[in-house]
Amino acid sequence: MSRSKLREKVFQLLFRIAFGSEEEYEEQAALFFADEEQETLTEKEQKQIQDKYDQILAHLDKIDAQINEKSVGWNVSRLGKVELAIMRLAVYEILFDDTIPGSVSINEAVELAKKYSTEKSSKFINGVLGTILRDKEAAE
């Protein structure tokens, strides 16, 4: 499975948790992998998805703080669930995953937004993520 497809699966899992409480995160992950649509995932792919999901959850406060700070006039409680899941994934990759170039994370996030949301959303996501990446690069 390609990195893009694995990223999409992580997005789908993050989207699921947007409707529940923090106490339900683990249960939602179990339900996600039990879904017959995920039956084609190998154990290795499931582990990769679960590991990235766990890492995002471990950094969720910092990720959401960045989204709140950089999305002027918006915060995580006002964002659409699709946009929030996409941005959480991309912000994690930009800030905490040095194996993925920030520009790739942004491009993949924009593509997910085009597929699952609107053109307007993809532009908004691109702008917010671009600001986060520029600030990170300036600080290094």
Side-chain angles (χ1 to χ4, degrees), residues 25-134:
Y25 289 176
E26 191 174 314
E27 180 182 354
Q28 285 300 319
L31 289 170
F32 177 79
F33 290 115
D35 187 331
E36 63 186 54
E37 191 175 302
Q38 309 312 329
E39 285 181 1
T40 59
L41 293 173
T42 66
E43 280 187 42
K44 180 181 177 185
E45 291 166 342
Q46 286 186 26
K47 182 173 177 6
Q48 289 173 314
I49 293 165
Q50 183 71 52
D51 288 349
K52 187 171 239 181
Y53 172 76
D54 291 342
Q55 286 299 308
I56 292 168
L57 293 183
H59 296 287
L60 200 56
D61 289 341
K62 292 175 186 172
I63 291 167
D64 285 354
Q66 280 293 304
I67 294 169
N68 284 334
E69 183 182 323
K70 304 303 184 206
S71 57
V72 179
W74 292 86
N75 62 40
V76 294
S77 65
R78 289 189 61 211
L79 290 171
K81 307 274 193 243
V82 169
E83 292 78 12
L84 179 58
I86 292 169
M87 292 197 336
R88 282 176 167 170
L89 173 57
V91 171
Y92 165 77
E93 290 180 349
I94 291 168
L95 298 180
F96 302 105
D97 190 343
D98 294 333
T99 65
I100 302 170
S103 58
V104 171
S105 296
I106 293 172
N107 184 58
E108 292 284 336
V110 168
E111 292 305 314
L112 283 171
K114 287 178 181 176
K115 181 174 182 178
Y116 290 98
S117 192
T118 66
E119 182 72 28
K120 207 174 206 179
S121 292
S122 65
K123 290 178 182 178
F124 173 75
I125 288 169
N126 186 49
V128 172
L129 296 177
T131 301
I132 291 171
L133 179 59
R134 280 190 296 281

